[in-house]
Amino acid sequence: MAKLSTTELLDAFKEMTLIELSEFVKEFETTFDVTAAVAVAQGPAGPAAPVEAVEEQSEFDVVLEADGGKKIQVIKVVRELTGLGLKEAKDLVEAAPKAVIEKANKETADKAKAKLEAEGAKVSLK
């Protein structure tokens, strides 16, 4: 195998997504039995700064950004997901961007997003 220069490697990394790069780092660590940790210079000892735990998001809002040109199909899915009547679902779709489901768990939010996107809607999770 040809040896790659540092520039060639960096160019390859620039083309990777963050997920691909993360998977690469994990595989690199496993293959070479190393840990990719940042070395920190030891400074003067002082009071430690409080470390705030990053809380993983547990509640999501499913926000309809646009109907994607398939308003009727999207209205049907909104009715299915929310139990709204026809007029209320139509008003919600026409008022996009608008939350379809609020404070849902990750699994429910992902399923709702997938159903709406299958009908052509543009959806985001917040």
Side-chain angles (χ1 to χ4, degrees):
M1 183 169 124
K3 184 176 179 180
L4 298 175
S5 70
T6 303
T7 306
E8 291 169 328
L9 284 171
L10 287 174
D11 288 339
F13 291 142
K14 287 178 186 176
E15 294 177 15
M16 298 173 87
T17 65
L18 288 176
I19 293 172
E20 292 170 333
L21 192 55
S22 174
E23 291 171 353
F24 168 78
V25 170
K26 289 177 187 172
E27 187 63 31
F28 186 90
E29 290 174 337
T30 303
T31 302
F32 295 103
D33 194 29
V34 294
T35 302
V38 177
V40 178
Q42 195 69 332
V51 177
E52 292 183 29
V54 177
E55 188 174 316
E56 187 174 325
Q57 186 175 354
S58 61
E59 292 182 337
F60 297 86
D61 293 343
V62 180
V63 179
L64 176 67
E65 302 291 340
D67 63 26
K70 296 183 177 181
K71 187 191 307 187
I72 294 172
Q73 293 89 332
V74 173
I75 290 171
K76 288 179 183 178
V77 174
V78 168
R79 289 186 68 200
E80 175 189 333
L81 294 171
T82 62
L84 292 174
L86 180 59
K87 178 163 179 23
E88 293 83 7
K90 179 180 178 280
D91 290 345
L92 188 148
V93 171
E94 289 175 345
K98 185 95 170 157
V100 176
I101 299 174
E102 295 179 333
K103 299 185 191 279
N105 64 30
K106 177 75 171 155
E107 182 180 338
T108 303
D110 284 339
K111 285 180 182 177
K113 181 180 179 190
K115 281 184 178 184
L116 287 163
E117 288 179 336
E119 295 301 331
K122 183 172 178 343
V123 182
S124 64
L125 297 180
K126 296 188 178 183

